[in-house]
Amino acid sequence: MYELSGKRVWVAGHRGMVGSAVARRLESEGCEVIIAPRDRIDLERQTDVERFVDETHPNAVIMAAAKVGGILANDRQPVEFLQRNLSMELNVIKTAYDFGVEKLLFLGSSCIYPKLSAQPIEESALLTGPLEPTNEWYAIAKIAGIKLCQAYMKERGARFISAMPTNLYGPNDNFDLQTSHVLPALIRKAHEAKRANLDHVTIWGTGSPLREFLFVEDCADALVFLMQRYEDYEHVNVGSGTDVSILELMTIVAEVVGFTGRIETDPSKPDGTPRKLMSNAKLAGMGWTPKTSLRDGISRTYDWYLTTLQPRPNGSVSTRPTASSR
Ligand code: GFB
């Protein structure tokens, strides 16, 4: 058991969807949450990271900073996804070790697994086959981060662990239609179609791929749980244990939003991997399970969207800047 109470915990990527949820979740653990202001600290610059850690002396680090995005952003910006993620994770993990951080949790993603993995995907499937091409750049960077944590644990005894969340959604997600993941995109499309009285919405691809979704507040809870109770070499899947097709997902989103028109598909856009349901047996075996149903999570995310991303006078909806931290 790693006691968080009284510790100084640096949440790297505190402005992103996951980092902000982790920072909120940590409030009830009696620890001091440390954040690195983005105007002062560039995580892609080693000297910035060293200066920050030297000044703030965190006891623990949750590495939630990443360049993230949906299927098109991943496919179109391979340099950004590979190079920026490698830089950030190397800087944070190496500096954490050099400055004596007691415990570090690194976040990966379910896209680290081979494209055609047996389902549900167990942790041991890592590096057993070729990756999904649309996101191999991001996946390679995340695999490198897991391996770096393992290397520090194996060679130097560092308590650096990794968690692999499934597709996440919730408050502070990115709703930009070109760069977002599917769930915020579908919420925005359904909302705008309803407001404009359109008779249809269009989803990318065939609608047949299956995806697993986890509400970000459940994910944050699981990450704190792992930080406190897990200390081993292998990464741990963090998921909901069930998946839906993208067409089914659009149907649920439409019901929550109140859009009653047709759903059309656009097969010119990529489907990506056909299915990536992760096994959550390892985490469930430790005693953690998610609390939020998909419908409730979508409803809470839509409420957040309505209250936070207000329509402007010209009818457009503001979005967060393109995906920068998860
Ligand atoms: O969430 P998403 O962008 O990424 O797309 P991945 C999931 C599925 O939803 C794909 C379909 O089959 C998309 O074609 N989709 C339908 C849409 N309509 C839309 C839409 O309007 N926007 C988007 N974005 N998708 C990502 C990886 O894969 O998952 C990342 O690229 C990361 O590296 C992340 O691992 C969790 O689930 O395919």
Side-chain angles (χ1 to χ4, degrees):
M1 182 84 186
Y2 181 75
E3 183 58 66
L4 284 168
S5 175
K7 298 285 169 62
R8 294 165 62 77
V9 184
W10 175 25
V11 180
H14 67 282
R15 297 194 338 163
M17 178 174 66
V18 178
S20 58
V22 168
R24 288 194 300 278
R25 172 62 187 77
L26 284 171
E27 281 170 15
S28 56
E29 293 300 327
C31 52
E32 184 186 347
V33 174
I34 301 170
I35 56 169
R38 198 182 260 188
D39 56 353
R40 224 164 45 79
I41 310 294
D42 179 353
L43 297 183
E44 292 177 56
R45 294 171 66 95
Q46 180 77 33
T47 50
D48 277 19
V49 179
E50 285 174 352
R51 195 181 71 242
F52 174 74
V53 172
D54 193 25
E55 283 169 3
T56 56
H57 300 295
N59 302 109
V61 175
I62 297 184
M63 176 45 180
K67 162 74 180 171
V68 301
I71 192 166
L72 271 200
N74 268 268
D75 198 30
R76 289 179 180 169
Q77 301 172 49
V79 174
E80 292 274 296
F81 277 83
L82 182 56
Q83 179 259 312
R84 292 189 59 195
N85 283 305
L86 284 173
S87 299
M88 282 187 266
E89 65 201 31
L90 175 60
N91 291 344
V92 171
I93 295 168
K94 177 181 185 303
T95 305
Y97 180 78
D98 290 346
F99 285 77
V101 165
E102 297 162 5
K103 188 148 187 184
L104 178 143
L105 172 61
F106 173 72
L107 296 192
S109 163
S110 58
C111 69
I112 61 162
Y113 292 115
K115 177 183 173 104
L116 300 177
S117 297
Q119 313 279 318
I121 311 171
E122 297 190 347
E123 285 84 354
S124 58
L126 184 64
L127 294 173
T128 56
L131 298 164
E132 154 61 30
T134 53
N135 59 34
E136 64 180 333
W137 320 97
Y138 181 70
I140 292 278
K142 289 296 182 182
I143 292 168
I146 299 168
K147 289 292 163 192
L148 191 57
C149 289
Q150 290 180 342
Y152 272 109
M153 183 178 277
K154 179 180 154 87
E155 185 183 324
R156 306 195 184 170
R159 299 158 81 185
F160 290 1
I161 60 171
S162 301
M164 295 306 111
T166 188
N167 290 37
L168 304 172
Y169 68 99
N172 282 322
D173 208 342
N174 167 29
F175 284 78
D176 179 287
L177 291 180
Q178 289 306 307
T179 58
S180 75
H181 289 101
V182 62
L183 223 157
L186 299 193
I187 289 176
R188 180 171 173 184
K189 284 179 181 178
H191 175 76
E192 292 185 350
K194 180 180 138 186
R195 280 171 58 98
N197 274 324
L198 300 182
D199 63 1
H200 73 280
V201 287
T202 304
I203 59 175
W204 293 354
T206 60
S208 62
L210 294 158
R211 291 290 184 275
E212 175 187 8
F213 295 95
L214 182 69
F215 189 53
V216 71
E217 290 181 9
D218 282 345
C219 178
D221 191 58
L223 299 178
V224 170
F225 178 93
L226 287 171
M227 197 68 179
Q228 292 168 322
R229 290 158 212 257
Y230 186 72
E231 204 144 297
D232 215 338
Y233 193 71
E234 190 179 56
H235 59 281
V236 182
N237 291 342
V238 178
S240 61
T242 54
D243 56 3
V244 290
S245 74
I246 298 304
L247 198 53
E248 288 170 306
L249 180 71
M250 184 69 235
T251 307
I252 301 171
V253 168
E255 284 167 8
V256 169
V257 170
F259 170 73
T260 53
R262 292 191 318 281
I263 299 169
E264 295 190 349
T265 56
D266 174 4
S268 72
K269 296 285 196 311
D271 268 346
T273 193
R275 189 178 189 201
K276 49 177 173 178
L277 176 65
M278 296 195 306
S279 164
N280 60 4
K282 187 168 175 173
L283 187 53
M286 287 182 247
W288 187 90
T289 46
K291 297 180 187 69
T292 313
S293 72
L294 181 58
R295 188 176 292 268
D296 283 353
I298 291 173
S299 180
R300 287 170 63 183
T301 306
Y302 184 46
D303 286 347
W304 181 88
Y305 174 83
L306 289 176
T307 53
T308 312
L309 302 180
Q310 292 295 321
R312 294 185 176 131
N314 65 5
S316 68
V317 175
S318 69
T319 57
R320 295 180 57 244
T322 52
S324 54
S325 65
R326 173 162 218 163

